[in-house]
Amino acid sequence: MASLIGETVFESNGQAPAPSKDFYQLVITKKEVIWRFWKISLRSEFRNTNPGELRETHKEYLDDYSLQAPIATVLGDSIVSYTLNLCRSNFDYLERLPDALLLYLILYLDLEDVAQLSQTSRRFEKLCSSDALWERIVENSCDTITPEMRALSKEVGWKQIFFTNKLHLQMQIRRRRQTSENLVV
């Protein structure tokens, strides 16, 4: 699992709350926390201000509330909480897995579990609603997939096809076929 973690563990940037125009960047590496800042001002006393950078070890950052406070102001409390966990070596390995591998793993879940997983994060909501996942679920549950089903899936999506009963699905395919025949004639 350690191979999933690159040198840069986390990176985020943001602008200070209005009226400030200052720009900030937070980088968490395997060994240190780096907080960079650029003062952006039209006022003459700040025009020649150089960008700044603070570097601390993970251990120092855990105890440095004077650095955590501006990070919370610019990036939010949830980012501070997440970075504290990273500095305690509590890595979220699941978030680092590629989408293709996660889709493969989700295929082994029951449908109820897929529904619950979709509620855990935006990323899992997107993956659990993706056409790629539902196409594979339909392929696993159906004997054959006709070209008409594939064409219909482009209109309504594979998830809709999966949850549509067979009679209704046959009716939709028949209507679609009649419409295409009428256009040809």
Side-chain angles (χ1 to χ4, degrees):
M1 284 294 202
S3 65
L4 289 174
I5 300 174
E7 182 57 35
T8 299
V9 177
F10 178 76
E11 186 174 343
S12 184
N13 53 59
Q15 187 174 351
S20 176
K21 303 251 187 268
D22 300 347
F23 184 78
Y24 296 87
Q25 180 187 37
L26 174 66
V27 178
I28 310 273
T29 67
K30 286 182 178 178
K31 297 182 180 178
E32 63 184 349
V33 176
I34 305 165
W35 180 244
R36 296 183 178 118
F37 45 91
W38 293 264
K39 192 84 168 155
I40 300 170
S41 176
L42 296 175
R43 297 175 68 184
S44 59
E45 65 262 25
F46 295 118
R47 270 199 199 132
N48 295 327
T49 304
N50 293 328
E53 179 178 271
L54 295 172
R55 289 178 174 259
E56 294 186 350
T57 65
H58 288 187
K59 185 170 176 14
E60 292 168 341
Y61 174 70
L62 290 171
D63 298 326
D64 190 354
Y65 301 108
S66 64
L67 179 56
Q68 294 171 20
I71 293 172
T73 301
V74 175
L75 301 175
D77 291 329
S78 61
I79 296 294
V80 172
S81 176
Y82 185 68
T83 58
L84 290 171
N85 279 326
L86 291 175
C87 290
R88 292 182 188 112
S89 297
N90 297 334
F91 298 109
D92 187 359
Y93 291 103
L94 199 56
E95 275 295 317
R96 297 177 183 284
L97 292 176
D99 287 352
L101 180 57
L102 287 172
L103 285 172
Y104 179 77
L105 295 173
I106 293 170
L107 281 171
Y108 288 97
L109 298 177
D110 293 330
L111 291 178
E112 295 84 16
D113 296 330
V114 172
Q116 289 179 346
L117 181 64
S118 72
Q119 297 173 7
T120 60
S121 72
R122 287 187 189 116
R123 182 177 183 205
F124 282 118
E125 179 184 16
K126 182 180 166 191
L127 286 171
C128 291
S129 297
S130 72
D131 253 11
L133 173 68
W134 287 98
E135 180 179 8
R136 292 177 69 187
I137 289 173
V138 169
E139 287 172 350
N140 289 343
S141 64
C142 293
D143 296 333
T144 58
I145 295 180
T146 64
E148 287 102 354
M149 282 177 70
R150 289 200 183 279
L152 183 61
S153 73
K154 290 178 182 168
E155 289 178 21
V156 297
W158 285 104
K159 186 175 182 180
Q160 182 68 35
I161 286 179
F162 181 80
F163 286 109
T164 302
N165 69 38
K166 287 184 179 181
L167 187 60
H168 188 74
L169 189 60
Q170 289 172 349
M171 191 170 61
Q172 282 182 317
I173 290 173
R174 194 174 309 119
R175 273 193 214 134
R176 195 172 193 294
R177 195 179 301 143
Q178 287 172 349
T179 305
S180 64
E181 287 173 359
N182 289 343
L183 292 175
V184 171
V185 176

